[in-house]
Amino acid sequence: QQQVKQSPQSLIVQKGGISIINCAYENTAFDYFPWYQQFPGKGPALLIAIRPDVSEKKEGRFTISFNKSAKQFSLHIMDSQPGDSATYFCAASSGGYQKVTFGTGTKLQVIP
Amino acid sequence: DAGVIQSPRHEVTEMGQEVTLRCKPISGHDYLFWYRQTMMRGLELLIYFNNNVPIDDSGMPEDRFSAKMPNASFSTLKIQPSEPRDSAVYFCASSLGPGTSFYEQFFGPGTRLTVL
C-alpha cells in the first residue's frame, strides 16, 4: 500500500520558472516530512525537511508548504536552474521512527 | 568522512548465482538501511538495523534475500539465488540515532545489479 502519493511523475520547467511538486499522505501519525534530491548515478540526498507544527519552511530557493488538514505538502523551487534538474522524492515518517516511506519521485528537467 | 561506501558499484551476474552487496556506513551512525530502486516500484526500504541489530525486515522480498551487520562498520545484502527480477539499484544509507533534529539519511552511491 502506497502511503505517500507524489505528482507529477515528470516536470519540465524553463529556467527562472517555478517548479512545484505535490505529495499527499494518509497516515496521520506521520510527523516528519523530508524531501530528497537525486542526481543521475547518485544516491538521494536530503534537500529540506519539515515537521507539521509549521506550515512553511524555506531554505534558499526551496520552500516546503504543508497543509496538515488536507494531509498534503509540496515543494516549490523558485527561480529554477538547469542545475536543479534531478529526481525529487517526498517522504514521511512518524514518531522519531527511522523508517521513512518515500514517494514515487518526480523527474524535473529545467531547460535553458 | 568519505560518506557511505558501497561495493561493487556494478554487478552483472547470471540467474541462479549468489550476489553479495557490501556497505560501509558513516562512522558513528547508529542506523543502517538497505533500499532497492526500480522504475516500477520506486525506492523501497528492504531492511534496517539499529546498532547492528535488524529492526524491521518487512520489506525484504522473500527468503532469497538476507542481510547482516556483523559490526558497526560493515553490512552485507545477499541474494541467493538471484533472479532477473532482482535487477535494480541497491542503496545503502546510514543515519544518526534519536536526539538529532532531523533523521537525515545519508545514501551511498548505490550498486547497479543486473541479473541475466
Side-chain angles (χ1 to χ4, degrees), chain B residues 37-112:
Chain B
Q37 185 175 37
T38 61
M39 289 295 294
M40 291 297 294
R41 301 177 67 88
L43 197 60
E44 303 174 277
L45 176 66
L46 301 177
I47 184 172
Y48 79 94
F49 295 82
N50 177 213
N51 292 324
N52 314 336
V53 177
I55 302 300
D56 186 339
D57 65 355
S58 59
M60 296 287 262
E62 47 198 277
D63 292 343
R64 298 184 298 106
F65 286 69
S66 63
K68 294 181 180 180
M69 192 165 186
N71 57 63
S73 59
F74 183 66
S75 177
T76 60
L77 177 68
K78 185 176 294 185
I79 307 172
Q80 167 62 22
S82 58
E83 297 182 2
R85 59 192 169 120
D86 301 330
S87 297
V89 180
Y90 291 81
F91 288 104
C92 175
S94 69
S95 72
L96 291 167
T100 54
S101 298
F102 288 113
Y103 304 108
E104 178 176 359
Q105 295 188 15
F106 295 82
F107 283 75
T111 295
R112 180 174 295 278

Side-chain angles (χ1 to χ4, degrees), chain A residues 51-93:
Chain A
R51 292 199 187 279
D53 52 348
V54 297
S55 60
E56 185 176 281
K57 182 174 182 180
K58 184 176 181 179
E59 290 185 0
R61 297 184 293 107
F62 299 90
T63 300
I64 300 177
S65 297
F66 188 84
N67 186 329
K68 187 174 181 178
S69 61
K71 293 186 287 184
Q72 296 176 347
F73 58 110
S74 61
L75 176 69
H76 291 64
I77 306 174
M78 310 300 289
D79 187 26
S80 299
Q81 299 296 313
D84 298 330
S85 298
T87 298
Y88 293 81
F89 294 92
C90 62
S93 67

Side-chain angles (χ1 to χ4, degrees), chain A:
Chain A
Q1 179 185 2
Q2 182 183 354
Q3 297 186 50
V4 179
K5 296 183 179 181
Q6 183 172 348
S7 63
Q9 190 173 4
S10 62
L11 182 61
I12 298 175
V13 174
Q14 284 212 309
K15 179 183 176 181
I18 302 174
S19 304
I20 301 174
I21 304 170
N22 300 299
C23 286
Y25 63 97
E26 298 175 355
N27 186 349
T28 56
F30 285 147
D31 64 356
Y32 168 58
F33 301 89
W35 285 86
Y36 280 78
Q37 179 188 54
Q38 183 181 26
F39 292 105
K42 306 290 186 182
L46 181 66
L47 181 64
I48 186 173
I50 196 170
R51 292 199 187 279
D53 52 348
V54 297
S55 60
E56 185 176 281
K57 182 174 182 180
K58 184 176 181 179
E59 290 185 0
R61 297 184 293 107
F62 299 90
T63 300
I64 300 177
S65 297
F66 188 84
N67 186 329
K68 187 174 181 178
S69 61
K71 293 186 287 184
Q72 296 176 347
F73 58 110
S74 61
L75 176 69
H76 291 64
I77 306 174
M78 310 300 289
D79 187 26
S80 299
Q81 299 296 313
D84 298 330
S85 298
T87 298
Y88 293 81
F89 294 92
C90 62
S93 67
S94 63
Y97 199 35
Q98 291 287 341
K99 185 173 182 178
V100 175
T101 300
F102 285 86
T104 51
T106 296
K107 186 173 183 179
L108 171 65
Q109 183 181 1
V110 182
I111 55 177

